[in-house]
Amino acid sequence: MNAVDFEVQAGELRSVIGPNGAGKSTFFKLIAGELPPSSGRVVFDGRDVSELPQFARSQRGIAKSYQVTTVFPHLTVWENVRVAAQCRRSVMNCWARADRLPALADETREILHAVELDGKADLLATHLGHGLQRHLEVAIALACRPRLLLLDEPTAGMSPEETERTIALIRRIATGRAVIVVEHKMKVVMTISDRITVLHQGAVLAEGTPEQIRADGRVQEVYLGRARARSAVAPA
């Protein structure tokens, strides 16, 4: 990354876009605590968290959903979310008996309802389709009670119908928290975003509303033109 100055407000839904190699994955890792910054600072809720590891940032309210689906495939949907909520309370108590923590049931039920998985609570995660597994991963992230949620390509590999459901989900869960999305599907980006940040060669190329980004000549040259070209050659 090269002198990236980035700020997101509570309640804002921000998308980060850019061509391959622009630095999007590195940017997310720096925020989440997977990589330490070589210079500069990461400030969250007025506190410098630059030196904190990922688990400590999660406890402070930063959660990340990964590009590759990461759920417990042989646990039920309910157990995936319940374990995540339990671990938030105490990392040393992740596998304690759930019946000793009765408030977890209400919390798990509430999260599953928010992502519309309450009707599939008893299914093993491996039996969910790809789109619903991604929704389960979002539910696991929500169990951390994040005030900043990072979503890495949340619609990757989804059908058009799954993508539409995920757009609606992202809008719902953005209420009351900041959400940053890395996404390649421009229809998704332009539909969900309050503001968009464009990265190019590790630096911020442009930032603004969807309308401003769509009209920016520099963005059209380095990214939007390429995105349209990829769409044009993609199989029907």
Side-chain angles (χ1 to χ4, degrees):
M1 307 306 295
N2 182 19
V4 171
D5 187 3
F6 179 94
E7 183 176 350
V8 63
Q9 302 296 324
E12 180 182 346
L13 207 165
R14 177 78 65 91
S15 288
V16 177
I17 65 173
N20 290 336
K24 302 183 296 296
S25 295
T26 300
F27 175 69
F28 255 24
K29 289 177 179 179
L30 287 168
I31 296 175
E34 296 172 81
L35 286 177
S38 57
S39 62
R41 298 188 303 156
V42 178
V43 177
F44 177 66
D45 199 22
R47 297 181 179 180
D48 188 341
V49 299
S50 306
E51 302 299 322
L52 294 182
Q54 187 173 10
F55 77 87
R57 296 192 199 189
S58 176
Q59 291 176 333
R60 288 181 180 269
I62 300 175
K64 179 181 176 182
S65 174
Y66 290 83
Q67 180 179 353
V68 177
T69 305
T70 52
V71 300
F72 295 110
H74 300 299
L75 294 182
T76 65
V77 170
W78 175 277
E79 290 166 339
N80 267 271
V81 177
R82 191 267 301 168
V83 168
Q86 188 167 330
C87 288
R88 186 200 72 245
R89 296 172 180 230
S90 172
V91 175
M92 301 299 294
N93 203 31
C94 281
W95 304 103
R97 290 172 56 95
D99 56 8
R100 296 177 180 174
L101 300 167
L104 282 176
D106 292 336
E107 184 175 353
T108 301
R109 191 177 298 109
E110 179 182 337
I111 294 169
L112 289 177
H113 180 72
V115 300
E116 298 183 341
L117 283 176
D118 38 350
K120 300 184 183 297
D122 294 330
L123 282 180
L124 293 179
T126 192
H127 293 160
L128 295 177
H130 172 69
L132 292 183
Q133 284 193 11
R134 298 308 303 268
H135 287 199
L136 175 57
E137 188 177 28
V138 171
I140 291 170
L142 291 177
C144 298
R145 293 188 178 177
R147 285 173 290 141
L148 172 60
L149 179 60
L150 311 174
L151 300 178
D152 193 356
E153 298 194 35
T155 68
M158 290 188 181
S159 68
E161 293 77 13
E162 290 173 329
T163 297
E164 289 299 325
R165 288 197 294 270
T166 303
I167 288 173
L169 171 63
I170 293 171
R171 283 172 163 167
R172 287 199 307 274
I173 64 176
T175 302
R177 62 172 57 88
V179 177
I180 307 175
V181 179
V182 166
E183 180 58 66
H184 286 291
K185 296 179 182 177
M186 295 312 301
K187 178 183 176 182
V188 175
V189 170
M190 294 299 176
T191 299
I192 66 172
S193 306
D194 296 318
R195 293 179 64 81
I196 300 170
T197 298
V198 185
L199 296 180
H200 181 53
Q201 297 180 346
V204 174
L205 176 70
E207 195 168 87
T209 64
E211 293 76 17
Q212 290 170 330
I213 295 301
R214 188 182 286 113
D216 191 302
R218 298 168 301 166
V219 178
Q220 292 175 4
E221 179 180 353
V222 304
Y223 184 66
L224 291 182
R226 298 182 190 183
R228 282 193 289 268
R230 285 198 301 269
S231 298
V233 300

